[in-house]
């Protein structure tokens, strides 16, 4: 039986060698991926292919680290604001809906806030030439670093209708002539707005599906 014992011992040694070479992270030799996928971040607002692609392009990463995202708190605050009687002194507070960094590290980051705001229009004539406007909600516009989407949200009584601002800050240092970055940012901001609207149960928000189409000026801008 000695040859059998020798063969068995050799097989155990080979198996041990293969395990040590694999790193043993998951028992199958695969390196465990760091960070979150696009579908997992910030309540799942970026789970569709178009939004996920925009997120990956903006942050230059396939996976992400969370940076103080609090979508549940953001929704709760909007519900509170819809229930509050708004006096002149009432100032709703925006809440960080999503904050992300690339899982691999680096200087790029992304932040999205949502909050209730007063009546528009929201795009000033001074800012209008510096941004691209889009057909979504009440108003939507973005530069290559900062953008906003505004939409009306009517919740069930006794809550009153509110206007929700979704604001996105992209990575710094992107040239303002980068129109593709504007498209990516408005895609992400609009997807976040749609996610918020859906979870609140808003009616008639007017938000675009997919990538909002650019327009010459916001529909609520005063005519000259």
């Amino acid at each position: 039986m000695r040859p059998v014992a020798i063969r068995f011992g050799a097989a155990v040694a080979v198996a041990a060698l293969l395990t040590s070479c694999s790193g043993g992270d998951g028992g199958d030799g695969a390196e465990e991926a760091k960070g979150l996928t696009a579908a997992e971040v910030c309540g799942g607002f970026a789970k569709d292919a178009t939004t996920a692609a925009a997120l990956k392009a903006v942050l230059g990463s396939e996976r992400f680290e969370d940076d103080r995202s609090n979508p549940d708190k953001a929704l709760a605050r909007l519900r509170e604001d819809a229930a509050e009687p708004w006096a002149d002194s009432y100032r709703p507070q925006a809440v960080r809906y999503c904050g992300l960094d690339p899982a691999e590290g680096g200087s790029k980051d992304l932040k999205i806030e949502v909050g209730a705001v007063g009546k528009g229009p929201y795009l000033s004539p001074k800012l209008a030439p510096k941004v691209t406007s889009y057909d979504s909600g009440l108003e939507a516009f973005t530069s290559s670093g900062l953008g906003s989407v505004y939409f009306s949200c009517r919740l069930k009584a006794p809550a009153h209708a509110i206007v929700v601002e979704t604001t996105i800050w992209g990575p710094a240092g992107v040239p303002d002539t980068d129109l593709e970055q504007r498209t990516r940012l408005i895609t992400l901001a609009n997807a976040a707005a749609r996610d918020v609207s859906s979870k609140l149960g808003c009616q008639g928000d007017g938000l675009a599906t997919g990538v909002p189409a650019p327009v010459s000026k916001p529909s609520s801008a005063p005519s000259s």
Side-chain angles (χ1 to χ4, degrees), residues 9 11 19 32 35 40 47 49 56 83 97 111 153 180-181 189 210 213 216:
T19 301
E32 184 176 355
E40 294 172 323
K47 60 188 175 183
K56 293 172 183 178
Y97 166 86
K111 182 175 71 172
C153 178
E180 290 186 1
Q181 183 74 345
S216 58

Side-chain angles (χ1 to χ4, degrees), residues 24-68:
D25 293 321
D28 57 359
E31 183 79 18
E32 184 176 355
K34 297 180 180 179
L36 304 168
T37 66
E40 294 172 323
V41 302
C42 308
F45 87 101
K47 60 188 175 183
D48 69 274
T50 300
T51 309
L55 182 59
K56 293 172 183 178
V58 167
L59 290 180
S61 176
E62 293 284 333
R63 301 182 76 90
F64 314 94
E65 293 290 344
D66 187 83
D67 181 16
R68 295 176 293 158

Side-chain angles (χ1 to χ4, degrees), residues 162-187:
I162 57 173
V163 174
V164 178
E165 177 185 20
T166 305
T167 304
I168 185 168
W169 288 264
V174 179
D176 212 40
T177 54
D178 190 340
L179 301 184
E180 290 186 1
Q181 183 74 345
R182 297 186 182 198
T183 301
R184 298 180 192 114
L185 292 183
I186 201 65
T187 298

Side-chain angles (χ1 to χ4, degrees), residues 85-169:
W86 286 26
D88 291 340
S89 59
Y90 186 67
R91 295 292 182 270
Q93 183 179 359
V95 175
R96 181 176 293 202
Y97 166 86
C98 188
L100 295 172
D101 302 304
E104 298 84 358
S107 59
K108 290 185 177 181
D109 63 345
L110 177 79
K111 182 175 71 172
I112 302 175
E113 288 186 349
V114 298
V117 294
K119 186 178 179 181
Y122 308 99
L123 180 57
S124 67
K126 184 177 180 180
L127 180 61
K130 302 178 182 180
V131 299
T132 302
S133 293
Y134 299 87
D135 185 14
S136 186
L138 297 173
E139 285 189 24
F141 50 86
T142 185
S143 67
S144 296
L146 174 66
S148 292
V149 176
Y150 297 84
F151 67 93
S152 178
C153 178
R154 181 173 295 280
L155 295 112
K156 294 181 179 179
H160 57 80
I162 57 173
V163 174
V164 178
E165 177 185 20
T166 305
T167 304
I168 185 168
W169 288 264

